[in-house]
Amino acid sequence: MNADAWDEEAEEARLRDMERECASNSEASPDYYKILNVSRHASTEQVRDSYKRLSLLFHPDRHHDAESREWAHRQFNIINHAYEMLTDPRSRAAYDQLGEEGVRLSAALGLKVQSPRDLQAAFQHYARCQRIEEIELWSRSNSEIVVDIDSTKLKFLSWMTKAGAYRAKSSHGDNNCVEGVHMQHSFSADLATDLLGTVTGKMFLHGSSRFSNVFGTLKYTAGIKSWASVKMPALPPYTVTFRGMHYLNRYRFYVAKVNQQTLNLLTPPSVSVSYGHVFGRLIGTLTMSTGNRYALGPFWANSPTRFGLESSNKAAAAKPSHPLE
């Protein structure tokens, strides 16, 4: 085998490899660096040298049959487009930060006379803003703060110009007019199709009473008529709450709630079922609740919640009946 035949076979093998690589790039978003077979840190001269070599390999005139010529023409156009993107400083800075979207939006930013370093910094800032917006859309957050103020202790309100806030003075000379503070913050995100996950932090202050905990909730939506959720805290007391709702039609619905106070099932769960009906702008509900002091045969017969119930039943049985009853 002479050297010319060997070079021709090696070139054909190289063409087949490049064909597979270009085909894989065309299926997803194009990677201009892979198309030109250079690294992301390649200089303009390296990009130009690689372009010259690939343009010779994929030039349509090097292919004789119509099918190969048509395929080579498509690849040749892709290589030319990649070369144009990577040799233009503005387009390359936009592509490095935002990909194809950055190339499309580069003209809208109006950065025409800045240096390549300034262009890169501007697109990095834009990319960070885009990522923050995507995270906010993915993880929806909600905050709520409620302050309970006893208005009977307020004598007057004076404006503090330096601090820029109201100061509440009580008739006793102190500022203890705030009865309680409730704070809640939650993050929600779609974990899967029709499955929503929520993490909620709660804090409650009222006098000497304090409470804080973190809750996790999973909510599954079955179509547009039904949904079910389970909620559990991360810290004790461990209370598991199951909720569900089903719409019979646009006017009638059912709501069910199961609250289990202990994970070891020593006490029965509290179950409530509500039926609702919409009457124009009014909603009427009928609710049935079991509480947690019942027993089902031997189950929960010795529940701690039933001790007070048994003593009250015995006292009622020992009480003499009225003559008229």
Side-chain angles (χ1 to χ4, degrees):
M1 180 181 297
N2 55 21
D4 295 338
W6 185 86
D7 292 340
E8 185 177 356
E9 290 183 1
E11 185 175 327
E12 290 296 330
R14 175 62 178 170
L15 287 174
R16 288 193 295 269
D17 294 338
M18 294 296 297
E19 180 180 1
R20 289 191 295 266
E21 184 176 352
C22 291
S24 62
N25 289 330
S26 62
E27 294 176 357
S29 59
D31 189 336
Y32 297 143
Y33 293 98
K34 287 185 178 180
I35 292 175
L36 295 181
N37 196 22
V38 294
S39 66
R40 289 187 170 269
H41 304 287
S43 62
T44 304
E45 290 75 12
Q46 292 174 339
V47 172
R48 185 177 294 108
D49 293 340
S50 180
Y51 164 73
K52 291 179 179 179
R53 178 174 53 84
L54 293 176
S55 61
L56 291 176
L57 288 175
F58 286 93
H59 198 281
D61 294 341
R62 295 177 62 90
H63 302 268
H64 304 288
D65 57 294
E67 184 178 357
S68 299
R69 183 185 294 272
E70 182 180 359
W71 171 84
H73 180 72
R74 292 195 302 267
Q75 304 306 323
F76 187 76
N77 291 336
I78 294 175
I79 293 172
N80 282 335
H81 182 65
Y83 173 73
E84 293 175 358
M85 291 296 103
L86 297 185
T87 52
D88 182 69
R90 179 179 176 181
S91 300
R92 184 172 182 177
Y95 176 76
D96 288 342
Q97 299 300 323
L98 302 175
E100 278 290 319
E101 182 182 1
V103 177
R104 291 191 296 267
L105 295 177
S106 60
L109 296 179
L111 305 174
K112 297 182 179 180
V113 295
Q114 298 186 12
S115 63
R117 179 175 297 180
D118 295 335
L119 286 172
Q120 185 176 5
F123 283 114
Q124 285 179 351
H125 175 72
Y126 185 81
R128 284 194 297 269
C129 294
Q130 289 290 100
R131 288 195 294 268
I132 292 174
E133 184 177 354
E134 291 176 359
I135 292 174
E136 290 178 350
L137 291 176
W138 181 78
S139 58
R140 298 175 292 275
S141 62
N142 185 23
S143 299
E144 180 180 355
I145 300 177
V146 179
V147 180
D148 298 331
I149 298 177
D150 188 355
S151 60
T152 60
K153 296 182 180 180
L154 294 176
K155 186 177 181 180
F156 64 92
L157 295 174
S158 62
W159 178 257
M160 299 176 61
T161 56
K162 294 183 178 181
Y166 280 110
R167 181 178 60 186
K169 293 185 177 180
S170 67
S171 58
H172 301 286
D174 57 4
N175 295 328
N176 191 18
C177 59
V178 178
E179 295 292 328
V181 178
H182 309 259
M183 292 188 293
Q184 175 177 318
H185 190 78
S186 62
F187 291 93
S188 299
D190 295 323
L191 304 180
T193 304
D194 300 328
L195 182 63
L196 179 69
T198 303
V199 177
T200 305
K202 293 184 179 181
M203 193 269 291
F204 168 76
L205 297 175
H206 193 281
S208 59
S209 301
R210 297 183 179 182
F211 171 79
S212 61
N213 210 330
V214 179
F215 299 87
T217 305
L218 291 177
K219 182 178 180 181
Y220 176 74
T221 303
I224 60 175
K225 291 187 175 182
S226 303
W227 61 264
S229 67
V230 57
K231 178 181 177 181
M232 184 174 178
L235 303 174
Y238 297 108
T239 302
V240 184
T241 303
F242 300 91
R243 295 176 182 268
M245 189 172 186
H246 177 69
Y247 292 90
L248 298 176
N249 50 45
R250 58 182 301 184
Y251 300 106
R252 297 182 299 165
F253 60 89
Y254 284 101
V255 179
K257 177 182 178 181
V258 180
N259 193 4
Q260 179 61 46
Q261 297 290 340
T262 57
L263 297 181
N264 52 13
L265 301 180
L266 291 179
T267 60
S270 176
V271 182
S272 63
V273 179
S274 300
Y275 168 76
H277 199 288
V278 180
F279 302 94
R281 296 184 178 181
L282 300 177
I283 300 178
T285 59
L286 177 64
T287 303
M288 181 188 69
S289 181
T290 62
N292 62 349
R293 306 179 69 180
Y294 63 92
L296 298 176
F299 296 99
W300 302 303
N302 298 322
S303 172
T305 58
R306 294 179 51 83
F307 291 158
L309 179 62
E310 293 178 356
S311 60
S312 61
N313 291 339
K314 292 179 180 179
K319 181 180 178 180
S321 60
H322 195 274
L324 297 180
E325 290 181 356

